[in-house]
């Protein structure tokens, strides 16, 4: 099977699963947000930063190394299994010991039990990684899609049930633990690894070297993407952090979903075809077009309608999240389009590129966020608007050069969608202004969204017809 067919096959299954799960989880998430208060999300954001930090080390880069390797024996998988067990038990113990210090850092004693309960995920993680690796190496996107879909639905349902019972922040925490339990059980059913762990490092040097670079670069990217949560929580408190975290969650949902699909497909597929650079270039350019076609209208449309989105779906107590959502939604399409590039550079054997990019982001963005806190949540949002384009330009030049492209190639593929989305933004803003005194904001939002979709499709048919037809052919593709 060619790279194009592998990617299309993977995208069909992964996109189908993500679309199906999002139709359910987005509705449930909105209900949960209405039931909880900003302080609940602030507490969860504080604890999640440290959980996610240690997750970076849960597979010590061996997972990607095993997927990227040309051949992997059962013995290597058993050795990796043993390493995963040791590392994750250590991470669980470390997090339990560090819980009081984390609570003291934020001056929030409620974090101690929250962090300790969330640490239970690390007892399950090593039991699932090898099975996940097997699915990725086999490019078995169907089974992976089933695992992702059911996990997302179970998480949402558990969270909603607990929120309805009045458990506040614990509904979010226990939803995550339930997801870990379900995912671990299911992935072992669909991709069993019936072997005991082998506690030996012999012959693992090359895999550990590659994995070490991947882990370091992922840690830096994690720091770059989460340092705003730490700074806002420390400087502005849990209430403001909750507002900011929800605005970021809404603005980055399309980013996370699209990048999750592309990363899960791109890494194993490009790893298998890593020596066919012409095929990779063709598929990357097509990916830039397709992602731009979706990301810009969705996110810029969200920016144009942010006030009505917050008012209609979340309620008046989230009103302070409107401006951050507007700013973040304007920036996020650019992040969405290039979000999967570090995965591609890793897949073709250049993990050092992500490492260098991580250093740039971790140097510039924290300074901008810290300066922004002097103007509250508004200043932090503006820090994204001012500094992220600088970081993006520096890092994008380095990433595309590895593949044999230039920034100009990327901009050229993005531009038609940007132009169409810009016209749509102006049209939606005009409609919103005309309906500013209308009492029924639900109907007003429906009119704004309908007008935006119509304008975007008309503009795309004029300046981006080829890509629009590609999407139509993909949708209609049989088999």
């Amino acid at each position: 099977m060619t790279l194009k067919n592998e990617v299309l096959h993977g995208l069909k299954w992964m996109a189908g699963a993500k679309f199906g799960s999002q139709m359910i989880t987005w509705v449930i998430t909105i209900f949960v947000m209405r039931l909880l208060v900003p302080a609940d999300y602030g507490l969860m954001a504080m604890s999640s930063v440290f959980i996610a930090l240690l997750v970076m080390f849960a597979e010590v880069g061996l997972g990607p190394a095993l997927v990227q390797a040309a051949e992997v024996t059962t013995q290597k998988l058993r050795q990796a299994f043993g390493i995963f067990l040791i590392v994750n038990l250590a991470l669980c113990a470390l997090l339990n010991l560090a819980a009081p210090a984390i609570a003291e850092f934020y001056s929030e004693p409620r974090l101690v039990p929250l962090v300790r309960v969330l640490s239970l995920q690390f007892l399950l993680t090593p039991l699932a990684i090898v099975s996940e690796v097997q699915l990725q190496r086999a490019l078995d996107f169907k089974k992976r899609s089933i695992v992702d879909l059911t996990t997302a639905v179970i998480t949402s349902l558990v969270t909603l049930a607990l929120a309805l019972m009045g458990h506040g922040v614990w509904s979010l925490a226990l939803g995550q633990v339930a997801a870990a339990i379900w995912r671990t059980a299911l992935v072992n059913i669909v991709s069993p690894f019936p072997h005991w762990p082998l506690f030996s490092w012999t012959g693992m040097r090359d895999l550990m070297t590659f994995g070490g670079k991947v882990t370091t670069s992922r840690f830096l990217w994690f720091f770059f993407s989460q340092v705003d949560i730490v700074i806002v929580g420390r400087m502005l408190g849990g209430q403001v952090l909750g507002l900011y975290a929800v605005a970021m969650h809404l603005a980055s949902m399309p980013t996370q979903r699209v990048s999750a699909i592309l990363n899960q497909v791109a890494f194993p597929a490009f790893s298998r075809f890593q020596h066919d650079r012409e095929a990779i270039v063709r598929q990357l350019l097509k990916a830039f077009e397709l992602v731009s076609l979706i990301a810009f209208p969705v996110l810029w449309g969200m920016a144009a309608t942010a006030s009505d989105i917050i008012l209609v779906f979340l309620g008046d107590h989230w009103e302070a999240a409107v401006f951050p959502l507007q700013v973040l939604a304007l920036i996020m399409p650019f992040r969405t389009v290039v979000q999967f590039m570090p995965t591609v550079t890793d897949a073709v054997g250049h993990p050092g590129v992500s490492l260098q990019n991580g250093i740039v982001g971790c140097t510039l963005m924290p300074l901008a966020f810290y300066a922004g806190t002097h103007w509250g949540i508004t200043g932090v949002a503006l820090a994204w608007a001012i500094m992220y384009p600088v970081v993006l330009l520096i890092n994008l030049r380095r990433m595309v050069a590895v593949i044999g492209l230039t920034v100009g190639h990327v901009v050229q593929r993005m531009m038609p969608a940007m132009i169409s989305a810009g016209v749509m933004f102006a049209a939606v803003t005009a409609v919103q202004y005309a309906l500013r005194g209308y009492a029924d904001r639900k109907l007003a939002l429906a009119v704004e969204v309908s007008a935006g979709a119509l304008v975007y499709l008309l503009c795309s048919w004029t300046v981006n017809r080829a890509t629009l037809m590609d999407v139509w052919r993909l949708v209609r593709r049989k088999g």
Side-chain angles (χ1 to χ4, degrees):
M1 188 178 286
T2 65
L3 175 59
K4 178 180 179 180
N5 289 333
E6 292 283 12
V7 171
L8 289 177
H9 179 70
L11 286 175
K12 179 185 72 173
W13 278 106
M14 299 308 297
K18 291 294 181 183
F19 179 79
S21 65
Q22 292 316 306
M23 290 298 98
I24 300 170
T25 58
W26 280 352
V27 172
I28 295 176
T29 297
I30 296 300
F31 274 112
V32 172
M33 286 180 177
R34 293 185 70 89
L35 292 169
L36 303 184
V37 295
D40 291 328
Y41 279 90
L43 279 172
M44 191 62 185
M46 290 175 181
S47 57
S48 294
V49 166
F50 292 93
I51 302 296
L53 169 62
L54 295 188
V55 166
M56 295 291 103
F57 302 95
E59 52 185 65
V60 289
L62 272 180
L66 291 168
V67 174
Q68 199 268 347
E71 294 182 7
V72 175
T73 63
T74 299
Q75 179 174 329
K76 287 286 193 297
L77 292 175
R78 290 180 62 201
Q79 289 175 285
F81 190 9
I83 294 171
F84 296 148
L85 282 171
I86 294 171
V87 170
N88 282 272
L89 287 173
L91 292 175
C92 183
L94 175 62
L95 201 54
N96 276 271
L97 291 172
I102 294 171
E104 185 176 352
F105 175 78
Y106 285 115
S107 300
E108 182 50 79
R110 289 177 293 174
L111 286 175
V112 174
L114 195 63
V115 168
R116 286 176 172 165
V117 168
L118 288 169
S119 72
L120 297 175
Q121 297 171 80
F122 291 100
L123 301 179
L124 299 166
T125 298
L127 305 178
I129 299 176
V130 175
S131 295
E132 294 267 13
V133 167
Q134 290 182 144
L135 287 176
Q136 291 186 65
R137 287 189 61 83
L139 299 180
D140 196 336
F141 299 110
K142 180 179 179 179
K143 290 180 181 178
R144 293 180 66 198
S145 300
I146 293 171
V147 172
D148 291 342
L149 172 61
T150 56
T151 300
V153 173
I154 290 295
T155 307
S156 299
L157 291 176
V158 171
T159 302
L160 176 60
L162 292 170
L164 288 169
M165 289 187 284
H167 290 291
V169 67
W170 285 104
S171 60
L172 302 172
L174 294 176
Q176 282 196 11
V177 175
I181 295 171
W182 176 268
R183 187 178 189 90
T184 301
L186 186 57
V187 78
N188 277 278
I189 292 172
V190 300
S191 178
F193 183 69
H195 303 282
W196 290 100
L198 181 62
F199 298 98
S200 169
W201 295 74
T202 305
M204 298 291 284
R205 181 176 178 179
D206 290 343
L207 291 173
M208 293 295 291
T209 299
F210 182 92
K213 291 180 179 179
V214 172
T215 299
T216 305
S217 63
R218 287 184 176 181
F219 168 74
L220 291 173
W221 278 108
F222 165 81
F223 182 84
F224 159 71
S225 63
Q226 296 293 317
V227 68
D228 54 339
I229 298 294
V230 176
I231 292 173
V232 172
R234 174 69 173 170
M235 301 296 294
L236 302 177
Q239 178 76 12
V240 175
L241 176 58
L243 293 165
Y244 176 78
V246 166
M248 176 60 76
H249 177 68
L250 292 174
S252 60
M253 269 201 299
T255 302
Q256 293 169 349
R257 302 306 180 250
V258 171
S259 64
I261 295 169
L262 291 174
N263 288 339
Q264 289 176 12
V265 173
F267 188 72
F270 286 168
S271 292
R272 177 175 290 187
F273 293 89
Q274 58 187 283
H275 302 298
D276 190 350
R277 292 302 175 89
E278 290 186 5
I280 290 176
V281 166
R282 287 196 302 272
Q283 298 313 313
L284 275 180
L285 291 175
K286 183 58 64 178
F288 290 139
E289 288 181 350
L290 295 177
V291 176
S292 297
L293 185 73
I294 299 169
F296 280 99
V298 170
L299 286 159
W300 283 7
M302 187 181 292
T305 59
S307 58
D308 283 332
I309 288 175
I310 295 293
L311 179 64
V312 170
F313 291 109
L314 302 187
D316 294 340
H317 58 294
W318 291 97
E319 187 176 0
V322 170
F323 182 76
L325 175 58
Q326 290 173 322
V327 175
L328 293 169
L330 288 172
I331 290 296
M332 285 300 162
F334 301 99
R335 192 178 180 188
T336 306
V337 172
V338 302
Q339 186 85 350
F340 63 96
M341 278 300 297
T343 300
V344 177
T345 56
D346 287 350
V348 298
H350 291 276
V353 172
S354 296
L355 180 61
Q356 296 175 58
N357 290 350
I359 292 172
V360 173
C362 292
T363 301
L364 298 179
M365 294 304 294
L367 296 175
F369 293 141
Y370 180 77
T373 58
H374 291 82
W375 292 274
I377 191 174
T378 298
V380 178
L382 290 174
W384 273 104
I386 295 170
M387 188 57 70
Y388 181 69
V390 176
V391 172
L392 176 63
L393 182 60
I394 295 172
N395 290 344
L396 184 59
R397 290 181 62 186
R398 185 180 292 115
M399 288 188 289
V400 295
V402 171
I403 311 299
L405 296 171
T406 66
V407 174
H409 289 122
V410 180
V411 173
Q412 183 180 13
R413 298 303 174 115
M414 292 167 55
M415 190 58 68
M418 289 176 61
I419 293 172
S420 300
V423 175
M424 177 207 71
F425 183 90
V428 172
T429 302
V431 172
Q432 188 177 53
Y433 181 79
L435 298 175
R436 64 189 184 281
Y438 194 70
D440 189 346
R441 299 317 300 172
K442 293 180 181 179
L443 181 58
L445 179 60
V447 172
E448 292 160 11
V449 171
S450 300
L454 178 61
V455 170
Y456 182 73
L457 286 173
L458 290 174
C459 288
S460 295
W461 187 253
T462 303
V463 303
N464 202 14
R465 185 177 304 179
T467 304
L468 206 60
M469 293 304 298
D470 282 342
V471 172
W472 177 246
R473 282 190 289 269
L474 285 173
V475 171
R476 295 190 62 189
R477 180 184 293 269
K478 304 295 183 182

